[in-house]
Amino acid sequence: VNTVGLGHEAAQPDRAARPGDAARPGHAARPGRLTVYFGAAPGVGKTYAMLDEAHRRLSRGTDVVVGYVETHDRAPVEALLAGLEVVPRQTLTYRSRTFTELDVDAVLRRAPEVALIDELAHTNVPGARHAKRWQDVDELLEAGVDVVTTVNVQHLESLNDDVEAITGVRQRETVPDHVVRGAYQIQLIDLSPQALRRRLAHGNIYRADQIDASLSSYFRIGNLTALRELALLWLADRVDDALLSYRREHAIAEPWPTRERVVVAVTGGPESETLVRRGARIAQRAAGSELLAVHVLPTDGLPAAPPAALAAQRRLVEELEGTFHTVVGEDVATAVVDFATGVNATMIVVGVSRRSRWSEALTGGIGSEVARHAESIDVHLVTHEKARAGRRARRPDMPLRPLRTAAGWVLAVVGPALLTGALHLAHSQAGLSTELALFLALTVVVALIGGLWPALASAVLAFLTVNYFFVPPTGRLTVADPVNLLALAVFVLVAAAVASVVDRAGRRTAQAAQARAEATALAEISRSVLSGEDTARALVARLRETFNLAAVSLLAEDDGGWRTVAEDGAEPARVPEEAETVVDIDPGRVLALRGRVLAAADRRVLEAFAAQAHNVLEYRRVREQAAQAQVLEQAEATRTALLAAVSHDLRTPLATIRAAIDGLLAPGLHLSAADTAALAGTVGEATARLERLIDNLLDLSRLQTGSVRPVVRTTSLEEIVPLATEGYAAAVDVDVPETLPLVQTDPGLLERVVANLVSNAVRHQPPGAPVRVTASATQQHLEVRVIDTGAGLDEEKKEHMFEPFQRLGDASSDGLGLGLAVAQGLAAAVGAELVAEDTPGGGLTMVLTIPLAEEVAA
């Protein structure tokens, strides 16, 4: 058992005192400290470790009492209770039954320094002081009593749904995470799944009659491994929280290299994949390292890199078991360093700038800026093919519509004249400042409508108009007062600047709308694929609907020309030449679109969709090929088994029948009645064996060829197990509860599966010891376990035990190794799963997993 501790050096915050606390014995100024022994599953040794800690504290002179400890009749735990003071429990009666619970008042009267209280998530019997034991513990902590307790990961409230998904069991007793998270110290009691199963098999956790059911349900290797990972990850998060709290409390800004965290600055350019792979190699050098990729968006929120490239780099990061993050920042280098500092990174990986040497010398590169700001974080500068190859071209501004541009030019020319006329007609005496403000407003309106160049033209015309009509001497393009000349100059500059800003804002707004439309289109397409529309027909239908096209067809090129794979809409194109827009999916397939010519922005989205369609179709093709290969493999195995069975298994019962009949019909041989009955019985047994074998083989062959399908219906094991074990009454011990749920299967075929498993187990069972047949249910399945205590098989032989004619050391003359192969084939036909496990103490256990009926599973 390994223990890992998580402690908080800072004292817990004082809780508010409650009425009567001052008079309560043992009440102290500071609240008590909570120590939690934390485990992944029952039986890892939490209670044992807690009692061992109590003896160590007692030897140091600490006043320790046992408030509540549950031994579960385990001798090692009961032995550790010796020498410890046990506070009597409280006795409660509920529904005519007597229960014992923690007596909070008795512990408070005793007022120890430390109280041991087992099973923190326990629900108290109605009538107790509190509904939950953690509330009892909370009261003791308020009174100043230190408490040592135990809890399993499956009892944490936040992980309840995850545990149910893993084990199929809903935990009714839970404890809020903040109770455990706020503990002064958390000790992880860790044990490997294999060691825990051995402990269970040896009877050190549950009673003997509970071992088989526990091994087949909650204590599976997979369940225990997943619960162990949950416990380790939850505790690791608490360690990170404690570290971050300590850094904040002590105003420590620089990262602490507790574990390797590599941050890769991703630009979206072609060099980013090189950076990500280099960062992944660096992270893999140390166990427990993390890879984080960060992309910095401009503060306007518009993507500075192609969305398809960023999506591909995100997938690469996730394939390398890293995480992809996007942050917004005005300065890229500062944003990257701030992100790395926030995640406590130890290294930043950044690429050599793509700027030319002259540009980098004048303005500095991103790498040098990151290194300057990083301070205590290492910076790894990676060269690549695109280094200093020139800056990537900026995304072109979104052009305005021609009608808006024309309207802007008209207003730029006519607007100053109209405004001048209006001012003269009104005999305005507002002054030069007001008149300049009005013309500036006109320039802004022109910029909003027509863009930059019409606005600049409007500013120039406004300058000339104001100079001619409103600045003395009027009627001439001269200015008498230098102040007025300065005002006119400032007007032109401000008008040009405002026009530029307004024009840029308008174009950015158009870009944002376009980007939003593209993102919406891609999201809709992705949603359709994720919802199961992964056929070619569904893809073209979704594409036509998204882009409002007349028809879309998916064409594949064959030796004889173009072939239509899928189409949607009226009059779809049969060859690429008939379409207005053609987009390549791969060298052999294209999308042909009819109805309208798509704009360049739509085509970018379409190309991204085409790449996605390629991945979906390729995945579907590979999946279909794998399914076909599996069918062919199963058919080949069945043919081999049938041929081998005919040449071997059929020969033995036929030879037995022939010999018995020859004995009965031999001329001149006078048999007694007992001998005649014995030979007739032999004929009957061999005939029954031959009949069972032929039925199994015929059903299996028909299933493989598709001529006969299983008749699946809702049924009970009570209809199956008794018939399957008929004839083995003395050699088989059946323990199948009547309360088990119904299953969805073919009763006849499943009966033959169980019969073959029982026959195989009886053949290998030691004399005098019965084969056990048990059954238990999980959330989605029902398990039948056929248990023998024979010699068992090693792992290498288990890999071949389901192959036909694998005797695996069996020297008996009964059967030639076809039973398990037939059993596995029939089990797969009815939707069941058959696996082999070791029997605790020696032997082999065949586990048959059968799906529950739909109404039961739901």
Side-chain angles (χ1 to χ4, degrees), residues 108-185:
L108 290 174
R109 287 192 298 270
R110 172 62 178 76
E113 294 181 61
V114 180
L116 309 183
I117 300 176
D118 208 2
E119 299 179 356
L120 182 64
H122 172 73
T123 300
N124 292 330
V125 174
R129 188 187 195 94
H130 299 106
K132 293 286 190 176
R133 183 165 294 165
W134 65 264
Q135 295 171 320
D136 297 336
V137 169
D138 190 61
E139 183 174 349
L140 294 176
L141 293 173
E142 289 183 5
V145 178
D146 291 347
V147 176
V148 183
T149 187
T150 63
V151 71
N152 285 325
V153 68
Q154 70 265 26
H155 295 300
L156 292 175
E157 181 66 41
S158 66
L159 300 178
N160 197 250
D161 293 338
D162 295 334
V163 171
E164 182 182 11
I166 293 169
T167 65
V169 179
R170 185 74 175 180
Q171 296 294 333
R172 302 300 177 186
E173 296 186 331
T174 59
V175 58
D177 284 46
H178 70 83
V179 175
V180 182
R181 191 165 51 242
Y184 177 75
Q185 190 175 35

Side-chain angles (χ1 to χ4, degrees), residues 699 701-712 746 749 829-830:
D699 281 339
S701 64
R702 289 168 183 167
L703 287 170
Q704 294 293 342
T705 57
S707 58
V708 174
R709 299 184 181 276
V711 181
V712 178
D746 184 317
L749 296 181
V830 299

Side-chain angles (χ1 to χ4, degrees), residues 664 670-682:
L664 289 173
H670 301 285
L671 300 175
S672 64
D675 292 337
T676 302
L679 289 176
T682 300

Side-chain angles (χ1 to χ4, degrees), residues 721-735 758-759 762 768-773:
V721 175
L723 296 176
T725 57
E726 187 177 4
Y728 299 104
V732 177
D733 180 14
V734 178
D735 181 14
V758 170
S759 174
V762 169
V771 170
R772 296 188 61 206
V773 179

